[in-house]
Each structure stands twice: as structure tokens, then as C-alpha cells.
Amino acid sequence: MLSYDVPHKAPWGWPVSLYIWTKAIAAGSYLVAASLAILGRPMARTIPLLSAVFLALTFLLLIGDLGHPRRFYMILTRPQWRSWLVRGGVILSAFSAVIGIEILWSP
């Protein structure tokens, strides 16, 4: 019988927890800046750069947690679409492309 008041050890360590934080900061900062841009306030150039820095940290933590850099490459080249790791990797890659375009396109 499962009891929820008994302390359990988390199946992941600090890199995964930090990975959640860094991707939230990257997405949140860009979302706030994009919302302000929609409302007519110009987006500061530093916001996409801040998002890019935290997204790069997210990629480093993800690849480090996988143990082998080739595994991330295989996630993108031979995806198992039922895996949430694959879906997250594709979303992170698409988001990094959006941020990259924003950084290159903005004056």
C-alpha cells in the first residue's frame, strides 16, 4: 500500500531540478518580452540574450544528465515520438531556433 506521508528519495538529482529552473527562466523572460512587444513596447535586446543564455544552460544540463552527448543527437535524429524526452528536446530545439532568429533579426 502506497503511503504519501513517508519520505521518498527523488529519482533524479540536482541537475534535473536546475534544468527545470533554467528552461522556465528562458521561456518566461522571452514570454514577458514578447507580450510587451505585442502591446507596442519595444523588446530590449538583452531579453533574447538572457533567454539564450538560460536556454544554453538548459541544453548543457540536459546533455550532461544524459551522460553521453551522442544520446541527445540520437534523440533528434532517431526520435521515439512517445518519449517525453524526445518531445522536450524537439521543443527546446525549436525554441532555440526562435531565439536565434530573434537575436539575428533584431537591430
Side-chain angles (χ1 to χ4, degrees):
M1 181 173 176
L2 180 63
S3 178
Y4 291 106
D5 62 347
V6 176
H8 296 290
K9 185 175 180 180
W12 56 83
W14 65 268
V16 175
S17 299
L18 189 58
Y19 159 82
I20 301 292
W21 276 92
T22 56
K23 96 175 153 176
I25 292 170
S29 61
Y30 194 76
L31 180 65
V32 167
S35 299
L36 289 174
I38 289 172
L39 295 174
R41 300 187 69 188
M43 186 184 313
R45 177 132 172 98
T46 57
I47 299 296
L49 292 175
L50 177 72
S51 291
V53 166
F54 278 98
L55 194 61
L57 285 172
T58 302
F59 274 112
L60 290 174
L61 289 166
L62 174 64
I63 292 169
D65 185 50
L66 289 174
H68 301 287
R70 293 187 69 191
R71 286 186 186 164
F72 188 75
Y73 175 74
M74 288 182 64
I75 285 172
L76 297 177
T77 58
R78 297 184 199 168
Q80 300 293 327
W81 290 108
R82 284 185 250 142
S83 168
W84 282 103
L85 185 63
V86 169
R87 294 175 188 178
V90 169
I91 290 169
L92 283 174
S93 299
F95 183 48
S96 65
V98 168
I99 290 176
I101 290 169
E102 176 67 37
I103 289 172
L104 293 174
W105 190 24
S106 65

